[in-house]
Amino acid sequence: MSSLVAASDLARAAYCPRQLYYARRDDDRAPPPAVREVRALAFAYPDLLDAPDDELAACPISVSPAAYRENLARLRERDDWGALTDPVARDALLAGKDCRGVAHKLVRSPGDGDHDQPTVPSLVSPGEPPERGVWEPQRVRAVALAKALAWEREASIPRALVEYPAVGVVRTVRLTTGNKAAYRRALRVARDLDFVPSRLRDSAKCESCAYRERCGVKTWSLASLLGR
């Protein structure tokens, strides 16, 4: 088990190898309480759909209560709404050929039988999605979970899910050639990381990084960039 790369490490490798270096050095992997609070929303979609404005406003959502209910109403139209709200398992530890990680949900696909058909993993993200698709670090982590589940079940797992409960949106990550290539790149970085990687330069990624100060990277606001 110790030789397996953590799926969360692959996400960091895809985001910033230097961030992964600091996280490993400090053995810093536990999510903060705020992350756990957002992830809890993913297990309460039906209740949140019917919740009044004041209750939603007290939740860690990133949009207005009205917009949140609209997003959940669209989510309810998905074929896998029932499976999302009643997952086969929660916080399932998966161990594959190369990596291990926790799937926050195992979700039965629409049309699957009650028992024998493979499920798909769902990663619950505390952030917000891009306009379309899924951010690369989350795509890499989702692919890692799908491959680990496929290894355990000896079955083909062609997709995974990424949930953004802070906005009430769920996106599908398919195991395409491009997504599997991104996974392999991150796996190589995570395995070979025995040195301090170079800093990113003027990257927006650094603004929200918990290791920004110790990293020493210079970040620039829009105003400072315009004045340069």
Side-chain angles (χ1 to χ4, degrees):
M1 182 72 73
S2 61
S3 64
L4 301 179
V5 178
S8 57
D9 282 5
L10 296 183
R12 290 186 187 272
Y15 188 79
C16 172
R18 193 174 177 95
Q19 184 187 84
L20 173 58
Y21 170 82
Y22 284 120
R24 281 181 170 175
R25 189 191 67 177
D26 298 346
D27 194 22
D28 182 12
R29 287 185 170 84
V35 169
R36 294 193 291 270
E37 290 173 3
V38 175
R39 283 180 175 160
L41 299 177
F43 300 92
Y45 292 144
D47 292 337
L48 294 170
L49 181 60
D50 297 326
D53 283 1
D54 58 342
E55 289 187 16
L56 286 178
C59 293
I61 62 176
S62 300
V63 293
S64 70
Y68 194 77
R69 272 193 298 270
E70 289 177 3
N71 288 344
L72 287 184
R74 285 192 289 269
L75 184 60
R76 186 174 54 184
E77 296 174 359
R78 288 176 58 116
D79 291 341
D80 56 359
W81 166 258
L84 283 166
T85 56
D86 185 21
V88 174
R90 294 176 55 164
D91 296 332
L93 178 61
L94 306 175
K97 176 175 175 289
D98 298 307
C99 64
R100 69 184 190 279
V102 172
H104 299 114
K105 297 180 185 177
L106 293 181
V107 177
R108 184 167 287 113
S109 297
D112 285 351
D114 291 338
H115 302 290
D116 298 331
Q117 294 297 323
T119 56
V120 299
S122 182
L123 170 67
V124 180
S125 169
E128 299 180 27
E131 185 174 339
R132 300 178 65 180
V134 173
W135 301 112
E136 182 177 357
Q138 294 158 357
R139 281 191 286 118
V140 165
R141 188 171 176 179
V143 169
L145 293 175
K147 291 177 76 67
L149 181 60
W151 178 265
E152 282 196 355
R153 303 291 174 86
E154 298 182 345
S156 175
I157 308 294
R159 66 189 182 93
L161 302 175
V162 178
E163 301 183 45
Y164 297 92
V167 294
V169 170
V170 176
R171 299 275 169 84
T172 299
V173 175
R174 302 194 181 279
L175 270 67
T176 62
T177 299
N179 285 340
K180 288 188 286 187
Y183 161 81
R184 289 192 296 270
R185 287 194 300 270
L187 184 61
R188 285 194 298 270
V189 170
R191 280 177 166 168
D192 297 340
L193 192 63
D194 56 358
F195 59 94
V196 184
S198 300
R199 297 182 181 94
L200 300 179
R201 291 181 59 84
D202 295 352
S203 174
K205 295 179 179 180
C206 302
E207 291 291 341
S208 59
C209 180
Y211 305 102
R212 182 178 61 186
E213 291 186 4
R214 74 186 72 178
C215 177
V217 68
K218 292 182 178 180
T219 57
W220 304 94
S221 66
L222 177 59
S224 65
L225 287 172
L226 291 175
R228 290 170 67 185

